[in-house]
Every structure is written in structure tokens, then in C-alpha cells.
């Protein structure tokens, strides 16, 4: 296994769209949300350890989740857990992780991956990752993995690519588009030159540090100035202070949309962004009438179809006359919501917090 290969797992989100199962104190990346026997972060760690040495895998998370990381990933040392004191989107935390790794090994090539995705074909994923690591090291470019779309999904970002290629398979990126309308998404699919944005990035430490210097100089300076304290007892204190000076910006907006050396590898490895209950419904085994019921067997449904049901073990549940609904109970909270309105869950969580405080969120 290549000692220059490193990985950063992004695990700081609160997963509000999976409320009420996902809570601020115990978010979705630490939950076995698809009933596989492993939590999402455990799955992600296991996948990346097939390519990167375990000692080279770092977890970037909120300081409140340090103990959860330790419990679920016992192989991880304290030095591999990087914590942020406040949420500042992906650009600052990725800068922190990449600058720290660069200080350990200037020849590092780094994978950055979310902790909350499902990948069904792990062999294909590992193959795409290894090709990307080799290409990023050879060409000093910024690589992103793009997923061949199967439908005009409005919940995903899209990457448009050109015919210009390096290493035969890596296409130069033309544009990034955030979640489009249905009509725009349909036009993307028809054009044939768009991919879903998986949010998985690969680059050399040198290339990403240079990109921060060029496109986000203020953020570059914050984490470059911290070089003397990385991997010392003063690191956490310094980073906690520095974080309050960081902009709240995504890596896509801050760098990927601006850089001229961004390439995408069209990939197909059974990817799903587990961002909503609809995504869980699509992946779940369906009973009669298209109902997905996990994990409780004591659910009886009458004249109901295409529902996503997730109830506590042992609870008897009877549903009648529901079609295309999400029914979820957890943490003393019951959510019943039409599947086509699940994007409102994030706002519901905000309203619950406003009315009842943090107890239920």
C-alpha cells in the first residue's frame, strides 16, 4: 500500500434531513441508517482503508463528536481526529486537513470523502480511487469523481465536462451546477455531458495548497501560518482560535468552480448520496405495494403504497390509507410527511428548535 496515500473523512454534519433519527448529539454518520450492521462512518473508513494505510486516514469532525469517533473507529488515534470548534462549511475544514497532512508528508496525495454515502460496488470504487490518486500525483491537478446519472435528480449537484482528457479517462471540467430545477436536470441528462457531483475529491498536497494560495488567499494564510504548530500539543488551541477567522464557504465555490486544472473521472460504482429519506427509500427492499419498512417487522399496512416507514423495534404500528408518505419515529418524536415534500424537513427542524428548544433536535 502506498505510504503517500492519505484520506480525509468529512464527518462534522448534523444530518438534519434525517431527523428525527439523526440528532445534533448523534447525527446520521454515526448511525446504521440503512440496516447494514455498520454505521455510515464505519463503512466509509473500511472502504478507504483498502487504498490508504489506516494510519494515514484522518477524521474531520465537530469537537462534540470526538468520543463517537473513538467508539466507532477504535483503530483511529487521537492524532487522526481533527476537530473544528464551529461549523464553517467544507473549505476551512478541508484546508485544515490538507495543510496538516502536507506538514507530515509534502509528497502526500489526498482523498477527501464525505462520511455519509453508500457505495455498492466497492471494487469499482477502489479502482476509480487508485486511478485518481495516480493521475493527481502525475499531473498535479484537482480531481473529482463524477457519477453517471440514471435520472434527472434535483437533489444533486451536476458537473459538466469537455472532450479534453488526461490519462484517457479524466475529462476537463467545464461547469459546476448546484441542485437544478427538474426541467434543467432533464436537459442535463439529455445533453450527455453532465455527471452527478459526488463530493469526492483527490489531489496532491502541493496542488491543493497552491489552489488555496491562488483562489482563497485569506484561508491559505490562516492555515499556512499554523505550520509550526501542526502535530504539536499547541495545534488544537491554535486551530480553535484560527477557525473563528475563517469564511463560511464550500470547497466547490471557493476553489473547484474557479480553478483551471480541475478534472472529473466519470464513474459508476453504485453510488448514493444518503442525504434524504427518499434516498433511503430508493435503496431499500420494497414489500408489496412498494412500501419500504425498516427495521421493524410489527408494521401492518392497509391500502397503503410507496411509503418509507422506520419505527422503533418492538412497536406495533398500523397504517391505513397512506400513499407516498414518510413515517419515522425516534427519540420521542414522530414525523409523518409526504415523500414529495421531504425537502421541508430541514425547515421543520428549525421550527421545532424555535418552539421547543434543542431537546428535540
Amino acid at each position: 500500500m502506498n505510504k503517500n496515500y492519505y484520506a480525509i473523512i468529512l464527518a462534522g454534519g448534523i444530518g438534519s434531513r434525517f431527523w428525527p433519527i439523526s440528532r445534533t448529539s448523534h447525527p446520521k454518520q454515526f448511525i446504521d441508517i440503512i440496516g447494514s450492521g455498520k454505521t455510515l462512518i464505519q463503512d466509509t473508513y473500511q472502504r478507504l482503508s483498502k487504498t490508504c494505510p489506516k494510519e494515514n486516514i484522518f477524521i474531520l469532525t465537530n469537537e462534540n463528536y470526538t468520543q463517537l469517533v473513538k467508539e466507532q473507529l477504535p483503530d483511529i488515534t487521537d492524532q487522526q481526529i481533527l476537530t473544528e470548534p464551529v461549523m464553517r462549511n467544507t473549505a476551512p475544514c478541508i484546508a485544515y486537513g490538507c495543510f496538516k497532512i502536507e506538514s507530515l508528508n509534502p509528497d502526500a496525495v489526498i482523498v477527501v470523502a464525505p462520511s455519509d454515502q453508500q457505495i455498492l460496488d466497492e471494487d469499482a470504487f477502489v479502482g476509480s480511487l487508485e486511478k485518481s490518486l495516480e493521475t493527481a500525483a502525475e499531473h498535479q491537478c484537482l480531481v473529482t469523481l463524477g457519477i453517471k446519472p440514471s435520472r434527472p435528480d434535483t437533489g444533486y449537484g451536476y458537473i459538466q465536462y469537455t472532450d479534453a482528457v488526461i490519462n484517457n479517462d479524466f475529462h476537463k471540467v467545464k461547469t459546476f451546477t448546484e441542485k437544478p430545477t427538474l426541467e434543467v436536470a432533464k436537459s442535463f441528462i439529455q445533453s450527455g455531458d453532465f455527471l452527478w457531483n459526488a463530493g469526492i475529491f483527490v489531489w496532491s498536497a502541493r496542488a491543493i495548497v497552491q489552489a488555496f494560495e491562488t483562489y482563497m488567499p485569506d484561508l491559505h494564510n490562516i492555515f499556512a501560518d499554523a505550520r509550526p504548530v501542526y502535530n504539536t500539543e499547541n495545534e488544537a488551541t491554535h486551530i480553535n482560535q484560527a477557525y473563528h477567522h475563517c469564511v463560511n464557504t464550500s470547497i466547490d465555490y471557493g476553489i473547484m468552480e474557479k480553478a483551471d486544472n480541475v478534472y472529473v473521472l466519470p464513474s459508476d460504482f453504485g453510488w448514493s448520496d444518503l442525504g434524504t429519506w427518499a434516498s433511503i427509500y430508493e435503496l431499500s427492499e420494497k414489500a408489496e405495494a412498494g412500501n419500504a419498512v425498516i427495521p421493524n417487522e410489527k408494521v401492518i399496512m392497509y391500502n397503503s403504497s410507496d411509503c418509507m416507514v422506520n419505527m422503533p423495534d418492538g412497536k406495533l404500528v398500523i397504517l391505513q390509507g397512506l400513499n407516498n408518505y414518510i413515517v419515522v419515529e425516534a427519540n420521542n418524536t414522530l414525523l409523518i410527511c409526504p415523500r414529495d415534500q421531504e425537502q421541508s424537513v430541514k425547515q421543520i427542524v428549525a421550527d421545532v428548535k424555535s418552539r421547543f428548544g434543542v431537546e428535540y433536535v
Side-chain angles (χ1 to χ4, degrees):
M1 196 170 286
N2 194 320
K3 64 181 177 58
N4 290 332
Y5 288 174
Y6 288 75
I8 297 171
I9 298 176
L10 305 179
I14 60 174
S16 60
R17 289 186 176 88
F18 275 113
W19 184 84
I21 283 181
S22 179
R23 295 294 184 97
T24 302
S25 60
H26 199 104
K28 66 173 179 176
Q29 60 267 31
F30 302 107
I31 298 171
D32 177 13
I33 207 158
I34 56 177
S36 69
K38 288 184 290 188
T39 66
L40 297 181
I41 194 172
Q42 288 172 331
D43 262 338
T44 305
Y45 176 77
Q46 179 267 329
R47 276 196 300 271
L48 292 175
S49 66
K50 293 183 177 181
T51 303
C52 303
K54 288 185 175 181
E55 63 270 20
N56 289 0
I57 300 176
F58 291 81
I59 312 300
L60 246 163
T61 190
N62 187 282
E63 58 187 15
N64 295 326
Y65 304 144
T66 300
Q67 192 56 40
L68 282 171
V69 172
K70 290 181 177 181
E71 290 170 2
Q72 297 198 3
L73 302 176
D75 291 343
I76 290 287
T77 66
D78 289 351
Q79 289 71 34
Q80 291 169 266
I81 303 174
L82 312 186
T83 60
E84 48 182 353
V86 290
M87 296 179 69
R88 285 288 188 269
N89 215 314
T90 53
C93 67
I94 288 174
Y96 174 25
C98 290
F99 272 86
K100 179 181 172 73
I101 290 171
E102 181 228 21
S103 72
L104 288 168
N105 181 357
D107 297 321
V109 193
I110 305 166
V111 180
V112 178
S115 59
D116 54 359
Q117 299 181 339
Q118 185 185 46
I119 290 170
L120 298 176
D121 189 342
E122 290 199 355
D123 289 341
F125 173 74
V126 169
S128 293
L129 211 53
E130 290 179 344
K131 286 170 62 176
S132 299
L133 286 159
E134 292 167 4
T135 299
E138 179 182 355
H139 293 273
Q140 293 300 304
C141 56
L142 310 179
V143 172
T144 182
L145 301 188
I147 308 301
K148 297 173 184 176
S150 59
R151 60 187 183 277
D153 199 302
T154 61
Y156 296 154
Y158 286 75
I159 302 169
Q160 185 181 24
Y161 60 90
T162 71
D163 292 332
V165 296
I166 55 174
N167 282 14
N168 298 319
D169 299 315
F170 293 79
H171 290 257
K172 191 169 180 61
V173 170
K174 184 177 181 180
T175 63
F176 285 86
T177 303
E178 275 305 300
K179 301 170 183 177
T181 64
L182 181 58
E183 290 305 311
V184 172
K186 286 179 179 178
S187 71
F188 286 173
I189 301 300
Q190 291 169 356
S191 72
D193 57 354
F194 281 83
L195 302 164
W196 285 335
N197 184 356
I200 302 171
F201 308 107
V202 183
W203 42 54
S204 70
R206 289 187 178 91
I208 191 60
V209 166
Q210 178 62 53
F212 274 110
E213 184 174 18
T214 303
Y215 302 104
M216 303 190 76
D218 291 345
L219 208 56
H220 171 275
N221 292 340
I222 288 171
F223 291 101
D225 289 346
R227 282 185 174 121
V229 303
Y230 290 131
N231 310 301
T232 73
E233 61 183 12
N234 298 321
E235 177 179 331
T237 300
H238 183 97
I239 293 299
N240 281 357
Q241 294 171 350
Y243 239 81
H244 293 280
H245 301 287
C246 293
V247 293
N248 188 343
T249 305
S250 71
I251 195 72
D252 297 75
Y253 179 78
I255 289 180
M256 302 301 283
E257 294 179 12
K258 299 179 174 66
D260 60 3
N261 63 335
V262 179
Y263 288 81
V264 63
L265 176 63
S267 305
D268 187 5
F269 38 69
W271 172 89
S272 177
D273 176 19
L274 299 179
T276 63
W277 282 113
S279 62
I280 299 297
Y281 175 81
E282 293 298 329
L283 292 166
S284 299
E285 185 176 342
K286 313 296 191 300
E288 59 180 290
N291 295 309
V293 181
I294 55 173
N296 190 352
E297 296 180 355
K298 293 185 178 180
V299 176
I300 303 174
M301 306 186 74
Y302 299 98
N303 300 317
S304 298
S305 62
D306 303 321
C307 290
M308 171 74 243
V309 183
N310 189 311
M311 304 297 289
D313 279 334
K315 184 158 193 170
L316 176 61
V317 180
I318 294 90
L319 302 177
Q320 179 165 340
L322 286 185
N323 299 292
N324 290 293
Y325 266 77
I326 298 164
V327 182
V328 181
E329 181 177 343
N331 302 304
N332 201 29
T333 303
L334 173 64
L335 172 70
I336 303 172
C337 174
R339 278 177 50 212
D340 61 3
Q341 295 178 36
E342 69 160 357
Q343 294 298 333
S344 65
V345 171
K346 199 168 185 177
Q347 183 59 49
I348 290 170
V349 174
D351 293 343
V352 169
K353 184 177 181 180
S354 175
R355 292 188 61 181
F356 302 110
V358 297
E359 178 184 356
Y360 292 96
V361 299

